[in-house]
């Protein structure tokens, strides 16, 4: 059957656009997969909330299916290999924290690296998406509040005891997230998004999230400048940089 080409503001049928969208779609799918895995791990790390975390992991599985359907709808194959490398830095940082029972670090990676990052991407994707993907993305975006609540309220409740751990975790993962946002830029632009808005929106969410957890404005500014001044020697940052570069060099 010959498929009719529907013309949206963004031409998802042009070659360059399809190439970029295969990576963006892969990133959206992989973000949900990472969130799914992280909530399963959290259900074991915080057994008193196991049931809620299991429900959230199921919700993430459905989000993953939704984004897979968005690619399918446009006949684009998601570049999942690229996406897996894209998240490798945060993935390993979460795994290491889980092994050493650093629950606050795990939660910070989940809320900043996965949820803030993904919802920033969704928020910027909605205006350029086709009708089908817009509906899927809007519905996923609305669900973000249910993700945030338990993780944030746990951190808020323990805030005094875990403040230093959160600062250290932030120093470790924020450069990695900045690297991810940076590498997202050209593909985001190719499908009609504004790379600068992505960065701005991420930091608005970063600020809101950390202040809800209990940090004051001065703390947040210090955490931001301290993480950005880090010499980027952290392994999760380097894993992001070299992983994304390697995959890009290998791409046709
Ligand atoms: Fe999700």
């Amino acid at each position: 059957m010959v498929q009719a080409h529907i013309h949206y503001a963004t031409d998802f049928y042009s070659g360059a656009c399809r190439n970029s969208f295969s990576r963006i779609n892969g990133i959206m799918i992989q973000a949900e997969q990472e969130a799914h895995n992280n909530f399963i791990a959290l259900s074991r790390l915080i057994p008193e909330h196991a049931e809620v975390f299991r429900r959230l992991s199921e919700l993430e599985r459905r989000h993953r299916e939704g984004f897979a359907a968005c690619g399918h709808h446009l006949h684009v194959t998601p570049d999942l290999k690229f996406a897996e490398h894209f998240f490798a830095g945060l993935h390993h940082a979460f795994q290491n924290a889980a092994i050493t029972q650093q629950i606050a670090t795990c939660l910070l990676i989940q809320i900043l690296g996965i949820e803030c990052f993904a919802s920033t991407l969704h928020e910027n994707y909605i205006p350029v998406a086709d009708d089908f993907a817009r509906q899927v993305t809007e519905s996923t975006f609305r669900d973000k509040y249910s993700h945030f609540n338990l993780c944030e309220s746990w951190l808020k409740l323990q805030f005094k005891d875990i403040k230093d751990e959160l600062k250290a975790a932030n120093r470790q993962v924020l450069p990695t997230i900045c690297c991810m946002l940076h590498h997202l830029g050209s593909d985001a632009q190719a499908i009609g998004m504004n790379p600068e808005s992505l960065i701005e929106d991420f930091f608005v969410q970063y600020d809101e999230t950390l202040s809800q957890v209990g940090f004051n404005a001065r703390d947040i500014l210090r955490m931001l400048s301290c993480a950005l001044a880090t010499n980027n020697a952290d392994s999760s940052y380097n894993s992001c940089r070299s992983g994304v570069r390697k995959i890009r060099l290998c791409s046709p």
Side-chain angles (χ1 to χ4, degrees), residues 12 21 24-25 28 32 62-63 66-71 118-144 193:
F12 285 99
F21 185 65
I24 298 271
N25 186 229
M28 286 174 167
E32 304 303 330
R62 289 200 298 275
H63 290 167
F67 287 120
C70 294
S119 58
T120 298
L121 182 55
H122 299 161
E123 198 176 3
N124 281 268
Y125 176 56
I126 287 168
V128 301
D130 62 280
D131 291 341
F132 178 83
R134 185 178 305 118
Q135 281 176 34
V136 169
T137 314
E138 281 174 347
S139 144
T140 307
F141 189 71
R142 280 194 295 274
D143 284 338
K144 78 168 189 169
M193 291 193 254

Side-chain angles (χ1 to χ4, degrees), residues 32 35 59-60 63 115 140 147:
E32 304 303 330
L59 183 70
E60 303 296 6
H63 290 167
E115 298 302 342
T140 307
H147 301 173

Side-chain angles (χ1 to χ4, degrees), residues 25-247:
N25 186 229
I27 287 169
M28 286 174 167
I29 292 169
Q30 187 64 27
E32 304 303 330
Q33 183 65 47
E34 295 291 330
H36 170 82
N37 298 346
N38 291 351
F39 282 133
I40 289 177
L42 287 166
S43 73
R44 295 185 189 120
L45 288 166
I46 315 178
E48 62 271 32
H49 296 304
E51 192 45 47
V52 184
F53 281 127
R54 271 198 291 271
R55 248 186 287 133
L56 289 171
S57 75
E58 181 55 24
L59 183 70
E60 303 296 6
R61 193 190 57 74
R62 289 200 298 275
H63 290 167
R64 186 192 192 286
E65 284 174 5
F67 287 120
C70 294
H72 189 70
H73 181 73
L74 293 171
H75 311 285
V76 167
T77 305
D79 192 341
L80 294 174
K81 196 175 174 199
F82 169 83
E84 219 176 284
H85 277 81
F86 187 83
F87 281 100
L90 291 184
H91 179 88
H92 292 127
F94 186 98
Q95 299 276 309
N96 291 338
I99 290 166
T100 52
Q101 300 275 312
Q102 290 178 287
I103 297 175
T105 302
C106 289
L107 288 171
L108 187 95
I109 293 169
Q110 173 60 24
I111 61 174
L112 294 184
I114 307 296
E115 298 302 342
C116 283
F117 176 83
S119 58
T120 298
L121 182 55
H122 299 161
E123 198 176 3
N124 281 268
Y125 176 56
I126 287 168
V128 301
D130 62 280
D131 291 341
F132 178 83
R134 185 178 305 118
Q135 281 176 34
V136 169
T137 314
E138 281 174 347
S139 144
T140 307
F141 189 71
R142 280 194 295 274
D143 284 338
K144 78 168 189 169
Y145 296 102
S146 59
H147 301 173
F148 271 17
N149 287 343
L150 180 56
C151 298
E152 282 182 354
S153 55
W154 192 93
L155 291 172
K156 197 173 176 173
L157 216 63
Q158 320 280 333
F159 186 67
K160 269 192 179 166
D161 300 328
I162 57 165
K163 193 174 174 185
D164 289 341
E165 183 185 331
L166 288 178
K167 284 183 180 174
N170 175 75
R171 235 183 348 262
Q172 183 196 3
V173 299
L174 189 58
T176 306
I177 302 169
C178 290
C179 168
M180 290 161 66
L181 286 165
H182 174 72
H183 282 288
L184 198 58
S186 55
D187 285 330
Q189 195 160 25
I191 66 162
M193 291 193 254
N194 179 345
E196 284 171 14
S197 296
L198 273 169
I199 293 170
E200 274 170 35
D201 292 345
F202 172 79
F203 282 108
V204 168
Q205 291 205 31
Y206 173 88
D207 179 49
E208 280 171 6
T209 304
L210 290 184
S211 56
Q212 278 171 37
V213 164
F215 288 104
N216 63 35
R218 184 173 286 274
D219 282 335
I220 295 170
L221 274 177
R222 276 207 190 121
M223 286 165 78
L224 193 56
S225 53
C226 181
L228 297 181
T230 309
N231 64 4
N232 299 329
D234 179 77
S235 63
S236 64
Y237 174 83
N238 284 329
S239 166
C240 166
R241 240 170 44 142
S242 62
V244 172
R245 196 185 298 134
K246 202 186 307 162
I247 286 287

